[in-house]
Amino acid sequence: MPTRRGLYAITNGPRADLLEATALALEGGARMLQYRDLGRDAQRRHAEASALAALCRAHHVPLIIDHDIALAMEVGADGVHLGRDDDDPATVREALGPQAIIGVSCYDSLPRAEAAARAGASYVSFGAFFPSSTKPSASLAPIDLLRQSAALGIARVAIGGITPDNGRPLVEAGADYLAAVASVLAATDVRAAARRFDDLYSSDRESA
């Protein structure tokens, strides 16, 4: 895992300007990037993931592939993010190796997060914390879940409807990363939006 807390940007493809928009998010201070694309065009997805891997390496930011373990291995990504229907973290760890970043969606479930941590997850994500346009049917998680999960010993990601305007309570509750899709990559000024998220963690820089 990266050592600095902050924005976890998630792509919202397919889109023609994916690389340009993602570069702006990285320039604005994103600390981790997830390639999320549920399309069936394997050739396009491979090309995009390969290009994003190179871009992330240039910015020293980890690239995480959503769900697709094979694609992560093919493009040399830093890890994968697993959902409810994916393989368990221990199995994925065997495939990707000890250095891989493995994230697990835990929704509003602390027991699921505890199980993921025991199975070798690098981070767990909770949410949605606010209504989300990306997953409008997601149930809402209580902010206190971030405090309750402090003893897990791994990074915690908050996701779901998060913006620079509502993210501070999540940071104060212990979120190591704020994951965002539309509020960054659909912003009029992607770089500025990412910078506003990064500013929520400014106390980390001041105390370093």
Side-chain angles (χ1 to χ4, degrees):
M1 292 292 294
T3 57
R4 296 183 67 182
R5 304 159 74 221
L7 170 64
Y8 184 177
I10 300 176
T11 68
N12 59 343
R15 55 187 289 179
D17 64 341
L18 176 65
L19 293 181
E20 292 83 354
T22 302
L24 292 172
L26 294 172
E27 290 169 9
R31 304 297 177 186
M32 194 152 56
L33 178 74
Q34 182 183 132
Y35 177 59
R36 182 178 186 272
D37 188 306
L38 304 180
R40 297 187 178 184
D41 186 340
Q43 185 174 3
R44 174 184 60 78
R45 292 178 70 249
H46 187 281
E48 290 179 347
S50 296
L52 288 175
L55 181 63
C56 285
R57 282 193 293 271
H59 285 270
H60 306 288
V61 169
L63 173 66
I64 309 300
I65 303 295
D66 185 40
H67 297 297
D68 196 331
I69 299 165
L71 180 60
M73 297 175 69
E74 290 168 6
V75 304
D78 298 279
V80 294
H81 184 86
L82 307 175
R84 185 178 280 119
D85 300 322
D86 295 318
D87 291 339
D88 68 276
T91 300
V92 176
R93 174 72 64 199
E94 290 181 8
L96 297 184
Q99 301 304 315
I101 297 174
I102 299 174
V104 178
S105 290
C106 296
Y107 315 102
D108 58 353
S109 173
L110 182 59
R112 178 175 169 82
E114 292 169 340
R118 289 193 299 269
S122 308
Y123 72 83
V124 291
S125 68
F126 295 111
F129 285 99
F130 307 102
S132 167
S133 60
T134 303
K135 294 187 176 182
S137 62
S139 59
L140 297 185
I143 291 179
D144 198 51
L145 187 56
L146 292 166
R147 298 185 182 91
Q148 296 170 3
S149 59
L152 291 176
I154 58 176
R156 290 158 292 154
V157 175
I159 192 169
I162 301 173
T163 72
D165 296 319
N166 65 21
R168 187 170 298 280
L170 301 173
V171 175
E172 293 173 350
D176 296 289
Y177 297 90
L178 297 181
V181 185
S183 56
V184 175
L185 288 168
T188 302
D189 188 332
V190 174
R191 185 191 291 111
R195 190 170 294 128
R196 289 186 64 205
F197 272 100
D198 192 50
D199 287 344
L200 296 177
Y201 288 90
S202 59
S203 60
D204 285 7
R205 295 191 296 272
E206 293 167 0
S207 61

